[in-house]
Amino acid sequence: MENKDTFEDAGDQSDSSTQSSEPSLGNIGNIQPLKSADRICILTSQRNLQLLDDMVREKELMVQKTSDTLSACRLRSKMLAKQLDHVDMEIEREEEAGNVAAVSRLQAVSSRLCTELEREKELELRLALTLKQNLVELWQVETEQGKYNILREKLQKDEEELQMQYQEEREVRICKEKITALQAEGTRRAREKKEEEARREREERNKKLLEDAKRNHEKAVCFLRQSMARIHEKNAKEEAKAQEHMERRIQAVLSLKTSITSNRERLQTLQILNKAKALEAKKEEMKMREAILAEGGNVIREIFLHKRQQEHEKRKEAFRELQKSRKMEIVSRILQERASIHKQRKTQSPTKAIKAHGKLGDALLQSGKAWQREETCKHADGEISQPWRSPSVCSSAGEGNAPQGESPENRSQDVLWESGDEDTERDKTLLVPEFPGLWSREYDLHEVPKAEDPTQLAIRAMRKQMSEKKMEKLQTRILHKQTVPAQEHKGGAFHSKPSCIHFKDFDVGQIYKKKIVLTNVSYSVNYCRLVGISEWLKDFISVHFDPPGKMSSGMSCEFLVTFKPMINEGLEGEVMFMAQTGSFSVPLKCTVKTCMLALDKECIDFGSLVVGETISRTISLTNSGALGARFRVQTSAGATSTLRAAVKAAPARVVTEHPSACDPEEKGSTGPVAAGDPNKSCAEPSEGMTPCAAQESKSSSATEQLGQRELNNRSDLVTDNAENLVELSPEDIPTEIMLGKVTEGEIGPFSSVKIPVLFVPAVPGDVRAEFVIMFDNPDCKPLSFSAVGVSVDVPIWVPQPSVDLRICLYERLYQDSVEVRSRATTALRLKFEVCKELSKHMELLPKTGYIQAQSSFSAQLKFLPRQSLPEDAGSYFNAETGILEVPVTILIMDKAKKVNFTVHAIVTTSDLEISPAQINFGYCTIYEAVQANVTLTNKSILPQEFGFVGLPEFVEVQPNDGFGIILPLESLTLDIIFKATKAKEYSFELTCKTEINRQFKLSCKAVGVHPPLELSHSLVQFAATALNSVSSATLDVLNSHVDGNPLTHPVPRIGSGNPVPVGPTSFEFHVPQDCPVTITPSVGTVLPGQKSSIRVSFSPALSDQQIREEAARRLSTAAVPEAGAQISSDPPQSPMGKTRKDSKKEQKKLSISILRGRTGSRKSLASVNSSQEPKAEELKPDSDAYRAAQVSLMRSFRGSFNKYIIPCSVGSGHASGEESSGSFICSPHNTLYLELHCPAVAPPVLITSDSGINRADFGDVSVGHRMMKRITIENISPGKLELGFSVLNPNGPFLLVRAVGTLEPGENKPLIISFCPSEDKWFLETLDIQVAKTNLSLRLSGLGVVPSTECSVGEVLDMGYVMTGDTVTATVQIKNTSSLTLPFFIQLESLSPTWDRDRQKIPSFLTSSLQRTEIVGTQNYNGFSVFSVSPTEGKIEAGMSQEFVVTFSPDHESLYYSDRLKVLLFGKQTAHEIQLKGAARDHLMFVQGGLPLDVPVESLAVTSPVAPREALDRGPQGAVRSLLLLLEFVEGSAEPARAEITVGAIQSPQLPSKKAVEFRLDGGAELARAGFQLDGPAGALERGQLGSIGVSWVPPADLQTSDPPLVSALLTVKGDITECYRVLLMARVVSAAAPTG
């Protein structure tokens, strides 16, 4: 409905243009057209005049030709006459000269010239006569032409009138088309206007909805953020409180549980240790008694003296502990007094220092308290450590830490609880100040002293008010958000470099300066000004800063910080600035010089050492601080030099309030020992548990582990070391571990000192010593380390206790000497013993010997490992590793002592394994070499030399001709190359020898084959070929087998089999699929004594898989930044409104959230990359990514070298596919092999167009059409190139239109190639671009296609009968069956420009019906075509169909409407011709059938279209029409002759009533007498139905052949009117041989 309204509106808009065109149409309609008779007369006259003109031109041409020929004849006659005269003169001259020969010759020439001259004269006469006749005829024709000059002028005028009439008709049509176009244009504009208005309304509505949605979303997001912030803040506070509460409860429960468990376990451990100690004492006493009794001494006296000695040692140790505790007490009091004096000096500092900010005061106050607590802890340590220090050297760790009945934990808790009271008591003992002051009470640093001037107070208050106002103004007005269209800047507006101002290791009195750079990192212009520095830094720090004014984003400015230290204390603060976006600060830190000392190790282990020897070790003391110190190394007060007990006593530990009071040795036991840093105060408590509590838990767990180990090993250790308990007195114990020359000195800043420690064993046993390093700097804590060693003592010793024979081979003898030394003063008798298991393989000579005092003795060791060694040695030999460890004992016969030493050896085999042990080369032709690989494995762990010796002449071993060195356990792959010399069976052995003369055999078998064919070259080495280029080589396949006698020469055979028969032999090359090699021909037959040439071509190209992988890699690389851009998110914002107490916790949470966000982004980025990563198998060869990857690989190609071996099957007989094909018997043993060496290089020239494909595919091109293609080539080599091109086939369809001469490096130029096919087939050709030594092959291909289509109708399309004024349509479908798109154009013959000219011919109704060739029949009176087709032009895609609608619209009654429809392809090729036929009636009934009795062309006179209506008005009875039915009876046939008349009723919407059509054929008796019979002579028809009347004829008996019957009948048809037809029935008899049509 909308379209109808649009058309109506468009019609209204175009009324004006239509009305303006109506007058011109009326004027044109008033012109009377020429009559058809006049037109025919004009055309006939024109044709006759044209014939006359043609005859005149023809006669003129003949006259001209004759005159030209006559002139030429006369000219030749003149020349012949001149030549004849010249010859006569020569004859006279020669006669005078007497030259008879010349005269004879000249006379012959003269006679010939005379003959020719006569002929020319005769020809001249004939030509003159012919010219005269032609002139007469020409004059006659010109005379006749002159008679028609008046007619010519008249015809010219008539023709001009006719052209004017045609012009006027065209103008009428043009006007009508313009009117229609204007109406359509108006309709289109109206429709576009409505669509534009609707689109604008829709866009405005969508825009408004989008803006409302955004506005609502922003409000909702804002409210949601505020709500979420409040909820998060509240939850964070609650969570923090709950976490702190829970941690406190957990710590309390854990500490209680730990205390209970440790107390219980320690009590049990102490009880067990006490019992074990008592038992041990009893055992020692019993052993001592037995020893004294054995020596014959006084038991009571010796035991008494031993007990006295033990008591003395205890008292001495107690005295030492007492002295140590007193010393520590004195030192602690001295340090405490120093701290109090230092504190008093600080309180009396100038007023400026007192005015410092709270931070400095807090820092100083905390440091003072820390020093005070440290001294207190030291003092407490000195007092408490005395009663709990173990007096016994052999006391256990548990005894040293706590007394019986009280655990260390309880004691440490008591110390913690009483520390406050002890501090107050000690404070009372300190020096009393001279007068009471600030130190006597807690001083408020913010309180102004009363002594200040009131004016200063007022000025200070005024400044404070002004600063507050400025800050409010800045916060309310100045601060702006930095925003850009994409996002808002968050964070600091300026970035400082460095981020922290750090003055490190400063000296008091010096001046330090640092320059700091500030950079504007915001998104827009910003300002920056200096606000100030921290209050407590103003006395030491000064800042020089010139405001730079406006600073663009990314601009920097500088400021200078000057530090002048006045006191040797660390400072911290910040330099504050104000920017347009808010305030920011740069942290500032000042640190003093410190001394940071550490040892590189905690314990020096000397190992085992024989008594009397000396060994030295060093320990490094390193100072990583900037302050030097003086050190002194001394022996630890609580350590002993020599320990003989199994359970070593640990130094006592007392847990106090602070870690500084803990034993430094305990710190050194867990890691590298480091001196304390003053900046790192030990008084900083951790969350939930103090450091001392943590130290307590560690100490308790260590004690528990120690006690458990002691409990488990007590019985064994006591038994083994009981004899060591009886030792000398402390005065007699020698010092075995001592310090070297360096015991004290100065260590500078950032330096290190090495301290030597000596070990001189004097008494056998374990030795341990503890050392401590003291420093003069009170801030440096003492460092401790220990040294341990073991001393042994025997009369003799072996300098080499382990004899290493290294690697030995089975069945080989190895010797070595064993030296024994004696430290005894007398000679000793020695006996060497080897374990029984190895007595067969090892011995020492001599077995018994004497060693003199203080001398040495050598024995000879012989080792001959046999193959039974793994079974005999037992546990001494490891079969997997081959390691042998044999203990050898040296017995001292007189003293019943022994010395052991060990003999080490690695025993290995000397075998070489050859795998496989046997090689079967199979069948090998005499023209090739067969290679087999064997693996030579060295079973030994020693390298061995090997070599293959005694090789036959037909065998070769590589590499190095079978000689070499094989490494331990190495496997070498050797190539055994066999080349048969003749056809026979081979069986031989190869021998491999080693350097120790061992032999290993390798068996080989082969069968020699002599094939019937051979190759002229079995190896082809191609030159370096560029990618996508081709290199070729030509070979010959030879058949030299012409005689089958094996006695005279070798004949082709397999091994010792029968010879191959003489005859044609065929071959076939089998090229692998992925091999870039082609062989042509690959199959062929060679006759005896002949050869066949083959061509081998190598065309390297990139593999498809390689290109796909490169394309996938490039796509995944390109997708990474896109995925990163999608995943990028805003950094988390720090929560606002937090207090300073919670800032650290919030920062920790913030850092965790940032890390989580980054981790999530990485995961999401990886997931995006994995989802977007393309698969190599999914890429198509015609995709852009695939071609781009191919070009990239070609540019980066570095060359390759490949070898290919192509098998060639050989068999007797002809190959399949040839003319005399027989049985092709192919034996696999006669196979020949062709080896190809194929190097590939990158091309110097690359085709950049069509994604770098070396193929120009023109596709499907219609035959006779030309297509141009532009191909761009680029020079990718570093030098200038001269290009050459191969010659294309001159008769082919390809043509190089434009070539390229030179190319500079990196330059690209286009080639233009055209393709014009002449046949319907594929055209393939190669254009070689010749560059230096390589060629780039460009394959040209194209398919010439003859357009082919299929039409749904035949040659005739009959539209049937139609009522006058009706319109009938029919559909014609044309399918494109070719492979290219076809442009079509539809042409009707009635609209052809040559139709008027064709109508001037003789009318077709004057000829016989068999010769009639009417194409265009009756046409409409209204000037419009009776047939029309839509569409008239377009394109039909390949494989698609196009439907054409043919419309039949007659405007008057006629039975001979016809036209011809032509389908033209490419504007000139006729694809289909369809004859269009139709008939029109003014009434609804029609009759058809029989032979036509009227002409198919209407009268030349113009019939008015009103005539039928007038005839209808005159009455229902019209004129009688005639129909002729011809029935032909075939003589001798049993079937009658038949004919048929069809009566139909037309279905038309013009007639409203559905009136039936009735018909009747009245024959009567006359038809029956003539032999005619009727079938269905009457009937009734509905609209759209057809009825038929059949007529059959059988000749009667009295039929006269010369007088065929002719009978008439009346056919009456009643519809809207009644029509009568006279049907003429004619019959005749024809012979069966030649029936007529």
Side-chain angles (χ1 to χ4, degrees), residues 46 79 296 321 628 927 934 1053 1055 1174 1357-1358 1433 1476:
Q46 287 180 349
M79 292 179 64
E321 294 292 335
Y927 303 121
V934 296
R1053 66 172 64 187
L1357 177 61
D1358 192 353
E1433 58 182 345
L1476 305 179

Side-chain angles (χ1 to χ4, degrees), residues 824-840:
T825 57
T826 60
L828 299 176
R829 186 162 64 94
L830 305 179
K831 183 179 180 181
F832 298 92
E833 292 184 355
V834 182
C835 59
K836 295 180 180 180
E837 292 83 351
L838 292 171
S839 59
K840 299 180 181 179

Side-chain angles (χ1 to χ4, degrees), residues 844-962:
L844 284 168
L845 298 176
K847 295 185 178 180
T848 304
Y850 288 88
I851 182 172
Q852 300 300 323
Q854 302 294 328
S855 65
S856 62
F857 178 83
S858 295
Q860 193 71 23
L861 174 65
K862 292 187 177 181
F863 178 50
L864 179 61
R866 307 184 187 279
Q867 296 294 336
S868 61
L869 177 65
E871 292 79 11
D872 297 340
S875 61
Y876 298 112
F877 182 73
N878 189 345
E880 295 181 357
T881 59
I883 297 176
L884 177 67
E885 294 184 0
V886 182
V888 180
T889 304
I890 304 176
L891 294 178
I892 304 175
M893 305 298 293
D894 299 335
K895 294 189 177 183
K897 293 185 178 182
K898 60 182 179 180
V899 176
N900 295 328
F901 69 93
T902 306
V903 178
H904 295 271
I906 300 176
V907 184
T908 181
T909 182
S910 61
D911 293 341
L912 294 179
E913 181 183 1
I914 300 177
S915 178
Q918 184 176 3
I919 298 177
N920 187 359
F921 290 98
Y923 293 87
C924 176
T925 64
I926 62 175
Y927 303 121
E928 64 179 351
V930 178
Q931 175 181 327
N933 296 330
V934 296
T935 302
L936 182 64
T937 304
N938 185 8
K939 296 295 185 180
S940 174
I941 60 175
L942 287 175
Q944 298 190 68
E945 295 183 0
F946 68 92
F948 285 85
V949 296
L951 297 177
E953 59 180 2
F954 48 80
V955 175
E956 182 181 355
V957 182
Q958 293 297 336
N960 298 327
D961 295 329

Side-chain angles (χ1 to χ4, degrees), residues 58 366 451 486 507 587 878 881 965 990 1166 1178 1195 1217 1400 1402 1479 1598:
E58 183 179 356
Q366 289 178 3
D507 293 327
N878 189 345
T881 59
I965 298 176
L990 303 180
E1178 297 177 356
R1195 289 181 180 273
Q1400 307 305 320
I1402 299 175
D1598 57 349

Side-chain angles (χ1 to χ4, degrees), residues 1282-1286 1300-1301 1327-1332 1335-1336:
E1282 298 287 341
L1283 303 183
F1285 298 91
S1286 63
V1300 177
L1327 176 63
D1328 292 333
I1329 304 176
Q1330 301 164 357
V1331 184
N1335 292 340
L1336 177 63

Side-chain angles (χ1 to χ4, degrees), residues 1306-1426:
E1307 184 183 8
N1308 52 19
K1309 290 182 180 180
L1311 296 175
I1312 298 178
I1313 302 174
S1314 68
F1315 173 58
C1316 181
S1318 58
E1319 298 181 58
D1320 182 12
K1321 65 176 183 179
W1322 271 102
F1323 293 93
L1324 300 174
E1325 204 165 341
T1326 301
L1327 176 63
D1328 292 333
I1329 304 176
Q1330 301 164 357
V1331 184
K1333 298 181 181 180
T1334 61
N1335 292 340
L1336 177 63
S1337 298
L1338 178 62
R1339 291 183 289 274
L1340 309 177
S1341 62
L1343 176 61
V1345 179
V1346 175
S1348 60
T1349 56
E1350 292 181 357
C1351 185
S1352 61
V1353 299
E1355 297 180 356
V1356 178
L1357 177 61
D1358 192 353
M1359 306 297 291
Y1361 281 81
V1362 183
M1363 291 289 293
T1364 303
D1366 282 357
T1367 300
V1368 178
T1369 59
T1371 302
V1372 178
Q1373 186 179 30
I1374 295 180
K1375 183 178 180 181
N1376 181 6
T1377 58
S1378 61
S1379 59
L1380 71 161
T1381 302
L1382 300 178
F1384 66 88
F1385 178 75
I1386 303 300
Q1387 183 179 10
L1388 290 175
E1389 190 68 25
S1390 61
L1391 301 178
S1392 174
T1394 61
W1395 181 52
D1396 291 334
R1397 185 181 61 189
D1398 295 338
R1399 291 177 63 185
Q1400 307 305 320
K1401 298 179 181 179
I1402 299 175
S1404 58
F1405 59 83
L1406 298 180
T1407 61
S1408 64
S1409 61
L1410 300 178
Q1411 298 177 355
R1412 295 178 182 177
T1413 57
E1414 299 90 354
I1415 297 175
V1416 179
T1418 306
Q1419 296 297 310
N1420 286 337
Y1421 293 153
N1422 55 14
F1424 291 100
S1425 296
V1426 66

Side-chain angles (χ1 to χ4, degrees), residues 179-222:
I179 293 170
T180 306
L182 290 174
Q183 292 176 355
E185 181 68 19
T187 304
R188 185 184 61 79
R189 290 180 180 176
R191 183 170 61 252
E192 290 180 353
K193 185 176 181 182
K194 286 186 178 182
E195 291 177 356
E196 182 67 22
E197 292 177 356
R199 185 181 61 79
R200 289 179 182 176
E201 291 178 359
R202 185 168 57 255
E203 289 180 353
E204 291 178 359
R205 184 167 58 256
N206 293 339
K207 185 176 181 182
K208 187 176 180 181
L209 291 175
L210 184 61
E211 291 176 355
D212 295 342
K214 286 184 179 179
R215 194 180 305 108
N216 296 333
H217 178 69
E218 290 176 358
K219 291 181 181 179
V221 168
C222 181

